[in-house]
Amino acid sequence: MSDPYQLECGVRQGGLTSPTLFNLYINGLIVALSGRHVGCHIDGVCVNNLSYADDMVLLSASVCGLRKLIRTCEEYACGHGLLYNGKKSQFMVFEAGGARCPDTIPQIKLCDVPLERVSQFKYLGHLLTTDLKDHADMERERRALSIRANMIARRFARCSGEVKVALFRAYCTSLYSCSLWADYSKKSYSALRVQYNNAFRAVMGLPRICSASGMFAEARTDCFHATMRKRAASLLRRVRGSPNAVLAMFATRMDCYILRHCSGRHLAVQETCRHY
């Protein structure tokens, strides 16, 4: 309602109005990209860009389509005073149906800076690979879990058992992005499960020979399998209840791999409870 004024140094970090102002500023780019109708389409829905804050991913089934999307970004940047950092931007080529990725790809540039082709990329904390398997991200989480558990065991060794259990629940049961894991080997899954059990033993000061099921039951804490199933069920509930058009499209597809995997985990825990 006030008179217009200029912001010459960006929005204020931590300001209450900053997210809204940034969304208003960047929404034009998202609308422009989606309006091109170039890139990936699923069930007639254009999914050529994914944005979270200032992190943006462009999706295209061809190099030509990706270049058009990048050109749209460059035009928007030129008209709105933006400057892209080509050295921090990279591109990946995913393997389709297990097919081998081509060795040579035409050069892709952003603001005349050639983009580096990578085989894996961490997006919002989740490690993506060209084969879309989850071994690398599970190993990342396994190492992070080991670091967190050792830190808690070292700093809070003299605390009571109740405090240690609370710390374990707060810092070791999140298993960041575990609900997205859908394609992995038994070896990777077992290695993370063993690390989860050893982390609880380390935090509680228990010997390695103690029973995993017994120690979790005594502490009234979710074991590894229960934690994984709860995370999968939570993702399934949030996707199906989301008003977002892209998520709603995925939620209605019965052949969606990740949702089918989450549903299988949820049904497995229901079947286990019924047997008990």
Side-chain angles (χ1 to χ4, degrees):
M1 302 297 294
S2 67
D3 295 332
Y5 60 94
Q6 289 186 343
L7 295 174
E8 299 180 355
C9 57
V11 295
R12 184 174 183 177
Q13 185 172 0
L16 296 178
T17 60
S18 296
T20 302
L21 292 173
F22 180 80
N23 288 339
L24 290 172
Y25 183 81
I26 210 69
N27 187 65
L29 175 58
I30 298 175
V31 172
L33 289 169
S34 301
R36 291 296 301 269
H37 297 290
V38 175
C40 294
H41 288 74
I42 304 176
D43 281 356
V45 178
C46 181
V47 191
N48 60 9
N49 72 93
L50 301 174
S51 299
Y52 184 86
D54 59 346
D55 290 321
M56 175 173 285
V57 172
L58 303 179
L59 301 171
S60 176
S62 65
V63 175
C64 179
L66 184 59
R67 285 174 172 171
K68 291 181 180 179
L69 295 176
I70 293 177
R71 193 177 305 117
T72 301
C73 293
E74 292 174 341
E75 292 172 355
Y76 189 87
C78 182
H80 292 77
L82 287 172
L83 182 63
Y84 290 108
N85 190 340
K87 295 182 180 180
K88 290 186 177 180
S89 302
Q90 300 167 322
F91 77 95
M92 293 179 62
V93 180
F94 295 103
E95 299 176 3
R100 185 172 179 271
C101 289
D103 296 327
T104 57
I105 296 293
Q107 193 176 63
I108 300 175
K109 294 183 178 181
L110 175 63
C111 298
D112 294 328
V113 177
L115 299 183
E116 177 189 5
R117 179 181 176 180
V118 295
S119 59
Q120 66 178 26
F121 182 79
K122 182 179 286 188
Y123 180 64
L124 302 181
H126 184 82
L127 201 59
L128 291 169
T129 57
T130 56
D131 57 3
L132 293 177
K133 295 186 180 297
D134 300 307
H135 309 309
D137 194 62
M138 295 179 76
E139 177 63 18
R140 171 201 59 77
E141 182 58 26
R142 188 191 68 80
R143 295 183 178 183
L145 176 60
S146 176
I147 294 173
R148 294 194 298 269
N150 290 332
M151 181 271 295
I152 295 173
R154 184 176 63 255
R155 295 185 180 181
F156 302 94
R158 297 184 179 182
C159 292
S160 63
E162 292 78 5
V163 172
K164 292 180 179 179
V165 170
L167 290 170
F168 179 81
R169 288 173 178 170
Y171 291 97
C172 299
T173 62
S174 60
L175 299 179
Y176 183 74
S177 77
C178 68
S179 53
L180 299 177
W181 298 336
D183 192 353
Y184 49 81
S185 64
K186 291 183 178 180
K187 181 179 179 181
S188 300
Y189 189 82
S190 178
L192 183 59
R193 176 184 57 81
V194 170
Q195 185 61 63
Y196 185 91
N197 296 340
N198 289 337
F200 188 76
R201 293 188 182 101
V203 170
M204 301 301 296
L206 300 173
R208 287 183 173 270
I209 60 174
C210 67
S211 170
S213 57
M215 66 183 184
F216 285 116
E218 183 177 353
R220 298 182 179 275
T221 303
D222 290 337
C223 66
F224 175 75
H225 297 294
T227 299
M228 292 288 287
R229 287 164 180 163
K230 284 185 176 181
R231 295 293 183 272
S234 175
L235 174 67
L236 194 64
R237 174 181 56 81
R238 286 180 284 124
V239 169
R240 289 178 173 173
S242 174
N244 183 274
V246 176
L247 293 181
M249 176 267 299
F250 281 111
T252 56
R253 289 186 63 101
M254 299 305 297
D255 60 341
C256 180
Y257 188 78
I258 184 77
L259 295 185
R260 189 170 68 247
H261 182 76
C262 290
S263 299
R265 285 194 173 280
H266 186 57
L267 292 174
V269 69
Q270 294 291 343
E271 188 67 22
T272 302
C273 294
R274 190 179 299 115
H275 287 165
Y276 281 125

